[in-house]
Structure formats: structure tokens, C-alpha cells
Amino acid sequence: MARATGKGEAVYERLKSDIESLRLRPGAKLGEVQLGEEMGASRTPVREAIRRLAQEGLVDFVPGEVARVAAISLGGVRALFEFRMLLEPRAAASVAASGVTDARVLVPFRELHERLEEFDESFRALDAAAQARSYQEFYDITEAFDQAVIVACRNPYLARTIRDLRSQTVRLRHLSHSGPRRMLTSLEEHRAMLKAIRQGDVQAAEAACLHHLAQTLQALIDSLTSQDLTLGADVRLDAVS
């Protein structure tokens, strides 16, 4: 599908951001008229945005019915992470290997490592309320890391597949980093991945990425099954084996 322009692109970006950040909850209705009024758009750009988001798996859309934000299920989360565990460790290993022969590959990872260390130092000095407000900065660093791996990965098919999964993984980030303790653990995991990549340690980069994904999956399972679940009744807890 050709990418929309102008108002259609603005509606798409706004809806995507609201879904990924969980401002629009899983299962929430996406009425074209109401959304159009809220965004100052006609039904056509809203409908096209919903169709694009459905292609990305963020919206459940059936023509003639009211679209809804796609539900989050344990089964779906497990399947997603099983796939990511096949792909992303190999990409991290590829980047580590590339950096050995081309120092330019390592430039963004050196900068990210510095950002991470600065964030860690400042975050630990904050009180709990201020820490909660600073989560977005950490999200920005981890997103930049993921994008840097995609750009530096020399296998275009691998990079493209990982990129296509980003919409799903970004939405889950807000569940996996459910508190300061998990966020600091994730910070250590990213530090390990960055260190391995910068040192050109292929095996360590692959292992660190696999460990991070496994820990993130467990954090998501804990969050989805917690008594403190706040996503609402529209979140499915599918049976998992």
C-alpha cells in the first residue's frame, strides 16, 4: 500500500503513537467519526490509517465493523519473542563482527554507550517520582540501540524482518519496564550488549542479546499475569503451553 501523505500521515502517526504508548488500550474501539472529530480529519484518512495499522498488527480491522486496538495475549507475546530470539541475537553478532573490520560501524554504539552511562548516573540520583518521569529517556536510548543494530546489520533480509516487528515490540516495552528495578536490570543488559559489540566479541554479543530477550519475555509474562494488571478486560490471556 502506498504511504499516505499530509493529513493521512498525521492521523496514522498520531494513532500509532497512542497505540504504542498504551494511551489507546488494547481492545479500545476506533470509531472513524469520533477519531476524525478529535483529529480534525475526514473519515477517509482515518480509515486509511486504521488499515495501515491493521497491516502492522496493531489494529484488528474487519470492513464493515468497528476497528479495535489489537489485544495483547500471552500466546502472542510468547510467539513474538520466540521469533525475536531467532533473529536479533544473530543481528547483534553480525554487528559485532562488522565493527572489527570497519570502525565506522561502532560510532553510534560508542555514543549510545556514553548516553547510557550518563542516564544511569543521573537516574540513580533521582527520587521515585522523578525516576518515573524519566522513563521516556531510557526508552529513547533503547530504541536508538535497536535502530542502530538494524542499520548496521549487513544482512538486509534479517534487518528488514526485525524492522517490521518494531511496532509490536515498542508497544510491549511499556509493560516490560514496569518499574525501576526492571528498568535498571534492562539497563545492565543493554550495557552488556553495547560492550560486546564495541569489543567485537561476536559470541558475547549474541549471548547478551538472547539473555536480554529472555529476561524481557519473563517481565512481560509477570506483568500480564499480575494482579496489578491495568490494561483492562479487553486484554486476552491466551492459554500457553
mmCIF file of all heavy atoms in Angstrom, residues 192-235:
data_model
loop_
_atom_site.group_PDB
_atom_site.id
_atom_site.type_symbol
_atom_site.label_atom_id
_atom_site.label_comp_id
_atom_site.label_asym_id
_atom_site.label_seq_id
_atom_site.Cartn_x
_atom_site.Cartn_y
_atom_site.Cartn_z
ATOM 1 N N ALA A 192 25.718 -4.601 28.603
ATOM 2 C CA ALA A 192 26.445 -5.811 28.196
ATOM 3 C C ALA A 192 26.454 -5.964 26.676
ATOM 4 O O ALA A 192 27.480 -6.334 26.079
ATOM 5 C CB ALA A 192 25.814 -7.040 28.852
ATOM 6 N N MET A 193 25.306 -5.678 26.042
ATOM 7 C CA MET A 193 25.252 -5.783 24.582
ATOM 8 C C MET A 193 26.155 -4.756 23.927
ATOM 9 O O MET A 193 26.897 -5.069 22.972
ATOM 10 C CB MET A 193 23.801 -5.615 24.101
ATOM 11 C CG MET A 193 22.899 -6.794 24.440
ATOM 12 S SD MET A 193 21.242 -6.684 23.705
ATOM 13 C CE MET A 193 20.482 -5.409 24.728
ATOM 14 N N LEU A 194 26.118 -3.530 24.428
ATOM 15 C CA LEU A 194 26.960 -2.475 23.861
ATOM 16 C C LEU A 194 28.446 -2.786 24.041
ATOM 17 O O LEU A 194 29.249 -2.596 23.123
ATOM 18 C CB LEU A 194 26.608 -1.137 24.521
ATOM 19 C CG LEU A 194 25.320 -0.474 24.027
ATOM 20 C CD1 LEU A 194 24.855 0.592 25.006
ATOM 21 C CD2 LEU A 194 25.529 0.129 22.643
ATOM 22 N N LYS A 195 28.805 -3.279 25.208
ATOM 23 C CA LYS A 195 30.203 -3.621 25.470
ATOM 24 C C LYS A 195 30.692 -4.701 24.513
ATOM 25 O O LYS A 195 31.781 -4.600 23.934
ATOM 26 C CB LYS A 195 30.362 -4.074 26.918
ATOM 27 C CG LYS A 195 31.782 -4.450 27.292
ATOM 28 C CD LYS A 195 31.861 -4.905 28.744
ATOM 29 C CE LYS A 195 33.290 -5.331 29.108
ATOM 30 N NZ LYS A 195 33.376 -5.785 30.525
ATOM 31 N N ALA A 196 29.872 -5.744 24.333
ATOM 32 C CA ALA A 196 30.267 -6.850 23.456
ATOM 33 C C ALA A 196 30.415 -6.391 22.009
ATOM 34 O O ALA A 196 31.360 -6.780 21.316
ATOM 35 C CB ALA A 196 29.243 -7.977 23.554
ATOM 36 N N ILE A 197 29.481 -5.570 21.554
ATOM 37 C CA ILE A 197 29.552 -5.069 20.181
ATOM 38 C C ILE A 197 30.794 -4.210 19.992
ATOM 39 O O ILE A 197 31.535 -4.357 19.012
ATOM 40 C CB ILE A 197 28.275 -4.280 19.822
ATOM 41 C CG1 ILE A 197 27.082 -5.249 19.660
ATOM 42 C CG2 ILE A 197 28.480 -3.464 18.549
ATOM 43 C CD1 ILE A 197 25.752 -4.557 19.477
ATOM 44 N N ARG A 198 31.063 -3.308 20.938
ATOM 45 C CA ARG A 198 32.221 -2.422 20.819
ATOM 46 C C ARG A 198 33.539 -3.190 20.871
ATOM 47 O O ARG A 198 34.523 -2.785 20.260
ATOM 48 C CB ARG A 198 32.174 -1.370 21.919
ATOM 49 C CG ARG A 198 31.035 -0.365 21.773
ATOM 50 C CD ARG A 198 31.123 0.717 22.817
ATOM 51 N NE ARG A 198 32.360 1.488 22.664
ATOM 52 C CZ ARG A 198 32.789 2.384 23.555
ATOM 53 N NH1 ARG A 198 32.079 2.601 24.664
ATOM 54 N NH2 ARG A 198 33.903 3.049 23.347
ATOM 55 N N GLN A 199 33.555 -4.310 21.592
ATOM 56 C CA GLN A 199 34.773 -5.115 21.693
ATOM 57 C C GLN A 199 34.907 -6.116 20.553
ATOM 58 O O GLN A 199 35.914 -6.829 20.484
ATOM 59 C CB GLN A 199 34.798 -5.846 23.037
ATOM 60 C CG GLN A 199 34.973 -4.926 24.234
ATOM 61 C CD GLN A 199 34.986 -5.671 25.559
ATOM 62 O OE1 GLN A 199 34.569 -6.823 25.653
ATOM 63 N NE2 GLN A 199 35.471 -5.007 26.595
ATOM 64 N N GLY A 200 33.887 -6.184 19.694
ATOM 65 C CA GLY A 200 33.935 -7.130 18.590
ATOM 66 C C GLY A 200 33.802 -8.568 19.022
ATOM 67 O O GLY A 200 34.227 -9.484 18.303
ATOM 68 N N ASP A 201 33.193 -8.798 20.181
ATOM 69 C CA ASP A 201 33.027 -10.152 20.724
ATOM 70 C C ASP A 201 31.709 -10.721 20.203
ATOM 71 O O ASP A 201 30.640 -10.459 20.774
ATOM 72 C CB ASP A 201 33.045 -10.103 22.251
ATOM 73 C CG ASP A 201 33.156 -11.491 22.880
ATOM 74 O OD1 ASP A 201 32.665 -12.452 22.266
ATOM 75 O OD2 ASP A 201 33.716 -11.591 23.982
ATOM 76 N N VAL A 202 31.775 -11.481 19.145
ATOM 77 C CA VAL A 202 30.581 -11.979 18.468
ATOM 78 C C VAL A 202 29.749 -12.868 19.385
ATOM 79 O O VAL A 202 28.519 -12.716 19.485
ATOM 80 C CB VAL A 202 30.983 -12.749 17.193
ATOM 81 C CG1 VAL A 202 29.770 -13.424 16.553
ATOM 82 C CG2 VAL A 202 31.652 -11.807 16.195
ATOM 83 N N GLN A 203 30.395 -13.805 20.059
ATOM 84 C CA GLN A 203 29.660 -14.734 20.917
ATOM 85 C C GLN A 203 29.013 -14.019 22.091
ATOM 86 O O GLN A 203 27.876 -14.308 22.462
ATOM 87 C CB GLN A 203 30.593 -15.841 21.404
ATOM 88 C CG GLN A 203 31.053 -16.796 20.306
ATOM 89 C CD GLN A 203 31.898 -17.936 20.842
ATOM 90 O OE1 GLN A 203 32.517 -17.820 21.898
ATOM 91 N NE2 GLN A 203 31.924 -19.033 20.104
ATOM 92 N N ALA A 204 29.742 -13.076 22.682
ATOM 93 C CA ALA A 204 29.192 -12.338 23.823
ATOM 94 C C ALA A 204 28.023 -11.457 23.396
ATOM 95 O O ALA A 204 27.035 -11.317 24.133
ATOM 96 C CB ALA A 204 30.280 -11.490 24.473
ATOM 97 N N ALA A 205 28.104 -10.850 22.217
ATOM 98 C CA ALA A 205 27.003 -10.014 21.723
ATOM 99 C C ALA A 205 25.755 -10.845 21.511
ATOM 100 O O ALA A 205 24.642 -10.441 21.886
ATOM 101 C CB ALA A 205 27.416 -9.335 20.418
ATOM 102 N N GLU A 206 25.933 -12.023 20.920
ATOM 103 C CA GLU A 206 24.788 -12.895 20.682
ATOM 104 C C GLU A 206 24.187 -13.376 21.995
ATOM 105 O O GLU A 206 22.963 -13.354 22.179
ATOM 106 C CB GLU A 206 25.238 -14.089 19.838
ATOM 107 C CG GLU A 206 24.096 -14.991 19.391
ATOM 108 C CD GLU A 206 24.525 -15.998 18.344
ATOM 109 O OE1 GLU A 206 25.744 -16.138 18.106
ATOM 110 O OE2 GLU A 206 23.636 -16.641 17.755
ATOM 111 N N ALA A 207 25.044 -13.777 22.931
ATOM 112 C CA ALA A 207 24.562 -14.272 24.222
ATOM 113 C C ALA A 207 23.872 -13.174 25.025
ATOM 114 O O ALA A 207 22.836 -13.403 25.669
ATOM 115 C CB ALA A 207 25.717 -14.863 25.020
ATOM 116 N N ALA A 208 24.438 -11.976 25.005
ATOM 117 C CA ALA A 208 23.855 -10.862 25.762
ATOM 118 C C ALA A 208 22.489 -10.489 25.221
ATOM 119 O O ALA A 208 21.559 -10.180 25.983
ATOM 120 C CB ALA A 208 24.789 -9.659 25.724
ATOM 121 N N CYS A 209 22.341 -10.499 23.900
ATOM 122 C CA CYS A 209 21.051 -10.180 23.292
ATOM 123 C C CYS A 209 20.024 -11.250 23.626
ATOM 124 O O CYS A 209 18.875 -10.934 23.969
ATOM 125 C CB CYS A 209 21.221 -10.035 21.782
ATOM 126 S SG CYS A 209 19.702 -9.533 20.940
ATOM 127 N N LEU A 210 20.414 -12.506 23.551
ATOM 128 C CA LEU A 210 19.493 -13.599 23.872
ATOM 129 C C LEU A 210 19.057 -13.519 25.329
ATOM 130 O O LEU A 210 17.870 -13.706 25.645
ATOM 131 C CB LEU A 210 20.172 -14.944 23.593
ATOM 132 C CG LEU A 210 19.301 -16.190 23.771
ATOM 133 C CD1 LEU A 210 18.110 -16.163 22.825
ATOM 134 C CD2 LEU A 210 20.138 -17.448 23.530
ATOM 135 N N HIS A 211 19.991 -13.222 26.218
ATOM 136 C CA HIS A 211 19.658 -13.088 27.640
ATOM 137 C C HIS A 211 18.683 -11.943 27.857
ATOM 138 O O HIS A 211 17.703 -12.079 28.608
ATOM 139 C CB HIS A 211 20.936 -12.838 28.442
ATOM 140 C CG HIS A 211 20.699 -12.564 29.886
ATOM 141 N ND1 HIS A 211 20.286 -13.527 30.792
ATOM 142 C CD2 HIS A 211 20.805 -11.396 30.608
ATOM 143 C CE1 HIS A 211 20.142 -12.995 31.993
ATOM 144 N NE2 HIS A 211 20.447 -11.705 31.904
ATOM 145 N N HIS A 212 18.931 -10.815 27.199
ATOM 146 C CA HIS A 212 18.032 -9.661 27.337
ATOM 147 C C HIS A 212 16.617 -9.997 26.887
ATOM 148 O O HIS A 212 15.639 -9.661 27.568
ATOM 149 C CB HIS A 212 18.574 -8.493 26.516
ATOM 150 C CG HIS A 212 17.601 -7.369 26.361
ATOM 151 N ND1 HIS A 212 17.131 -6.627 27.424
ATOM 152 C CD2 HIS A 212 16.970 -6.873 25.246
ATOM 153 C CE1 HIS A 212 16.277 -5.713 26.984
ATOM 154 N NE2 HIS A 212 16.164 -5.848 25.679
ATOM 155 N N LEU A 213 16.480 -10.669 25.761
ATOM 156 C CA LEU A 213 15.150 -11.015 25.255
ATOM 157 C C LEU A 213 14.442 -11.995 26.189
ATOM 158 O O LEU A 213 13.231 -11.881 26.419
ATOM 159 C CB LEU A 213 15.259 -11.604 23.855
ATOM 160 C CG LEU A 213 15.687 -10.614 22.761
ATOM 161 C CD1 LEU A 213 15.984 -11.351 21.460
ATOM 162 C CD2 LEU A 213 14.613 -9.553 22.538
ATOM 163 N N ALA A 214 15.183 -12.958 26.731
ATOM 164 C CA ALA A 214 14.582 -13.920 27.658
ATOM 165 C C ALA A 214 14.096 -13.224 28.925
ATOM 166 O O ALA A 214 12.999 -13.518 29.429
ATOM 167 C CB ALA A 214 15.592 -15.010 27.999
ATOM 168 N N GLN A 215 14.893 -12.294 29.438
ATOM 169 C CA GLN A 215 14.502 -11.564 30.638
ATOM 170 C C GLN A 215 13.306 -10.654 30.374
ATOM 171 O O GLN A 215 12.417 -10.501 31.219
ATOM 172 C CB GLN A 215 15.684 -10.745 31.155
ATOM 173 C CG GLN A 215 16.841 -11.573 31.676
ATOM 174 C CD GLN A 215 16.432 -12.429 32.862
ATOM 175 O OE1 GLN A 215 16.334 -13.651 32.750
ATOM 176 N NE2 GLN A 215 16.194 -11.805 33.989
ATOM 177 N N THR A 216 13.285 -10.043 29.194
ATOM 178 C CA THR A 216 12.167 -9.173 28.827
ATOM 179 C C THR A 216 10.884 -9.980 28.699
ATOM 180 O O THR A 216 9.815 -9.542 29.143
ATOM 181 C CB THR A 216 12.468 -8.447 27.509
ATOM 182 O OG1 THR A 216 13.674 -7.697 27.646
ATOM 183 C CG2 THR A 216 11.330 -7.498 27.147
ATOM 184 N N LEU A 217 10.971 -11.148 28.095
ATOM 185 C CA LEU A 217 9.801 -12.011 27.980
ATOM 186 C C LEU A 217 9.255 -12.370 29.354
ATOM 187 O O LEU A 217 8.038 -12.308 29.586
ATOM 188 C CB LEU A 217 10.154 -13.275 27.206
ATOM 189 C CG LEU A 217 9.058 -14.360 27.148
ATOM 190 C CD1 LEU A 217 7.779 -13.822 26.525
ATOM 191 C CD2 LEU A 217 9.564 -15.575 26.390
ATOM 192 N N GLN A 218 10.122 -12.727 30.276
ATOM 193 C CA GLN A 218 9.656 -13.082 31.615
ATOM 194 C C GLN A 218 9.006 -11.888 32.305
ATOM 195 O O GLN A 218 7.985 -12.033 32.991
ATOM 196 C CB GLN A 218 10.815 -13.604 32.459
ATOM 197 C CG GLN A 218 10.383 -14.163 33.811
ATOM 198 C CD GLN A 218 9.364 -15.277 33.675
ATOM 199 O OE1 GLN A 218 9.630 -16.274 32.998
ATOM 200 N NE2 GLN A 218 8.197 -15.126 34.287
ATOM 201 N N ALA A 219 9.587 -10.699 32.113
ATOM 202 C CA ALA A 219 8.995 -9.498 32.708
ATOM 203 C C ALA A 219 7.606 -9.234 32.139
ATOM 204 O O ALA A 219 6.692 -8.817 32.861
ATOM 205 C CB ALA A 219 9.906 -8.297 32.465
ATOM 206 N N LEU A 220 7.431 -9.484 30.851
ATOM 207 C CA LEU A 220 6.122 -9.302 30.224
ATOM 208 C C LEU A 220 5.106 -10.307 30.758
ATOM 209 O O LEU A 220 3.956 -9.949 31.026
ATOM 210 C CB LEU A 220 6.251 -9.442 28.708
ATOM 211 C CG LEU A 220 6.828 -8.238 27.981
ATOM 212 C CD1 LEU A 220 7.235 -8.618 26.562
ATOM 213 C CD2 LEU A 220 5.813 -7.098 27.959
ATOM 214 N N ILE A 221 5.520 -11.541 30.891
ATOM 215 C CA ILE A 221 4.621 -12.559 31.430
ATOM 216 C C ILE A 221 4.202 -12.183 32.845
ATOM 217 O O ILE A 221 3.020 -12.265 33.209
ATOM 218 C CB ILE A 221 5.297 -13.945 31.405
ATOM 219 C CG1 ILE A 221 5.473 -14.416 29.965
ATOM 220 C CG2 ILE A 221 4.476 -14.966 32.189
ATOM 221 C CD1 ILE A 221 6.301 -15.670 29.826
ATOM 222 N N ASP A 222 5.157 -11.753 33.657
ATOM 223 C CA ASP A 222 4.847 -11.335 35.024
ATOM 224 C C ASP A 222 3.878 -10.159 35.030
ATOM 225 O O ASP A 222 2.952 -10.107 35.856
ATOM 226 C CB ASP A 222 6.132 -10.943 35.752
ATOM 227 C CG ASP A 222 7.049 -12.130 35.999
ATOM 228 O OD1 ASP A 222 6.578 -13.280 35.888
ATOM 229 O OD2 ASP A 222 8.240 -11.900 36.287
ATOM 230 N N SER A 223 4.087 -9.214 34.114
ATOM 231 C CA SER A 223 3.230 -8.032 34.052
ATOM 232 C C SER A 223 1.815 -8.396 33.624
ATOM 233 O O SER A 223 0.825 -7.932 34.212
ATOM 234 C CB SER A 223 3.819 -7.007 33.090
ATOM 235 O OG SER A 223 3.026 -5.847 33.034
ATOM 236 N N LEU A 224 1.696 -9.245 32.602
ATOM 237 C CA LEU A 224 0.382 -9.604 32.081
ATOM 238 C C LEU A 224 -0.415 -10.457 33.050
ATOM 239 O O LEU A 224 -1.647 -10.438 33.037
ATOM 240 C CB LEU A 224 0.529 -10.334 30.747
ATOM 241 C CG LEU A 224 0.889 -9.477 29.539
ATOM 242 C CD1 LEU A 224 1.265 -10.344 28.352
ATOM 243 C CD2 LEU A 224 -0.269 -8.569 29.165
ATOM 244 N N THR A 225 0.258 -11.234 33.876
ATOM 245 C CA THR A 225 -0.444 -12.121 34.806
ATOM 246 C C THR A 225 -0.538 -11.548 36.209
ATOM 247 O O THR A 225 -1.104 -12.171 37.106
ATOM 248 C CB THR A 225 0.257 -13.488 34.870
ATOM 249 O OG1 THR A 225 1.628 -13.308 35.239
ATOM 250 C CG2 THR A 225 0.198 -14.188 33.523
ATOM 251 N N SER A 226 0.001 -10.344 36.410
ATOM 252 C CA SER A 226 -0.001 -9.722 37.726
ATOM 253 C C SER A 226 -1.404 -9.314 38.157
ATOM 254 O O SER A 226 -2.263 -8.964 37.348
ATOM 255 C CB SER A 226 0.909 -8.491 37.714
ATOM 256 O OG SER A 226 0.765 -7.748 38.905
ATOM 257 N N GLN A 227 -1.619 -9.325 39.445
ATOM 258 C CA GLN A 227 -2.888 -8.829 39.987
ATOM 259 C C GLN A 227 -3.032 -7.337 39.762
ATOM 260 O O GLN A 227 -4.126 -6.789 39.856
ATOM 261 C CB GLN A 227 -2.965 -9.134 41.494
ATOM 262 C CG GLN A 227 -3.023 -10.602 41.823
ATOM 263 C CD GLN A 227 -4.253 -11.264 41.228
ATOM 264 O OE1 GLN A 227 -5.366 -10.733 41.306
ATOM 265 N NE2 GLN A 227 -4.062 -12.430 40.621
ATOM 266 N N ASP A 228 -1.923 -6.657 39.461
ATOM 267 C CA ASP A 228 -1.930 -5.209 39.245
ATOM 268 C C ASP A 228 -2.125 -4.846 37.781
ATOM 269 O O ASP A 228 -1.910 -3.719 37.388
ATOM 270 C CB ASP A 228 -0.615 -4.595 39.738
ATOM 271 C CG ASP A 228 -0.448 -4.752 41.233
ATOM 272 O OD1 ASP A 228 -1.457 -4.718 41.952
ATOM 273 O OD2 ASP A 228 0.708 -4.921 41.657
ATOM 274 N N LEU A 229 -2.532 -5.832 36.960
ATOM 275 C CA LEU A 229 -2.727 -5.584 35.529
ATOM 276 C C LEU A 229 -3.705 -4.431 35.328
ATOM 277 O O LEU A 229 -4.798 -4.428 35.867
ATOM 278 C CB LEU A 229 -3.269 -6.847 34.858
ATOM 279 C CG LEU A 229 -3.433 -6.809 33.351
ATOM 280 C CD1 LEU A 229 -2.077 -6.719 32.672
ATOM 281 C CD2 LEU A 229 -4.161 -8.051 32.869
ATOM 282 N N THR A 230 -3.309 -3.430 34.547
ATOM 283 C CA THR A 230 -4.131 -2.228 34.394
ATOM 284 C C THR A 230 -4.573 -1.986 32.963
ATOM 285 O O THR A 230 -5.081 -0.933 32.638
ATOM 286 C CB THR A 230 -3.343 -0.992 34.873
ATOM 287 O OG1 THR A 230 -2.140 -0.884 34.113
ATOM 288 C CG2 THR A 230 -3.002 -1.096 36.346
ATOM 289 N N LEU A 231 -4.395 -2.990 32.084
ATOM 290 C CA LEU A 231 -4.738 -2.763 30.685
ATOM 291 C C LEU A 231 -6.224 -2.946 30.415
ATOM 292 O O LEU A 231 -6.715 -2.612 29.369
ATOM 293 C CB LEU A 231 -3.943 -3.723 29.791
ATOM 294 C CG LEU A 231 -2.448 -3.449 29.751
ATOM 295 C CD1 LEU A 231 -1.769 -4.446 28.837
ATOM 296 C CD2 LEU A 231 -2.167 -2.052 29.274
ATOM 297 N N GLY A 232 -6.952 -3.509 31.353
ATOM 298 C CA GLY A 232 -8.392 -3.643 31.165
ATOM 299 C C GLY A 232 -8.804 -5.020 30.713
ATOM 300 O O GLY A 232 -8.013 -5.868 30.351
ATOM 301 N N ALA A 233 -10.128 -5.241 30.695
ATOM 302 C CA ALA A 233 -10.667 -6.560 30.422
ATOM 303 C C ALA A 233 -10.462 -6.996 28.975
ATOM 304 O O ALA A 233 -10.601 -8.171 28.659
ATOM 305 C CB ALA A 233 -12.165 -6.585 30.756
ATOM 306 N N ASP A 234 -10.156 -6.071 28.098
ATOM 307 C CA ASP A 234 -10.010 -6.435 26.694
ATOM 308 C C ASP A 234 -8.669 -7.111 26.384
ATOM 309 O O ASP A 234 -8.461 -7.562 25.275
ATOM 310 C CB ASP A 234 -10.150 -5.188 25.812
ATOM 311 C CG ASP A 234 -11.590 -4.749 25.712
ATOM 312 O OD1 ASP A 234 -12.450 -5.604 25.531
ATOM 313 O OD2 ASP A 234 -11.832 -3.538 25.826
ATOM 314 N N VAL A 235 -7.788 -7.185 27.357
ATOM 315 C CA VAL A 235 -6.537 -7.905 27.146
ATOM 316 C C VAL A 235 -6.805 -9.380 27.329
ATOM 317 O O VAL A 235 -7.326 -9.809 28.344
ATOM 318 C CB VAL A 235 -5.459 -7.446 28.150
ATOM 319 C CG1 VAL A 235 -4.197 -8.272 27.967
ATOM 320 C CG2 VAL A 235 -5.150 -5.989 27.946
#
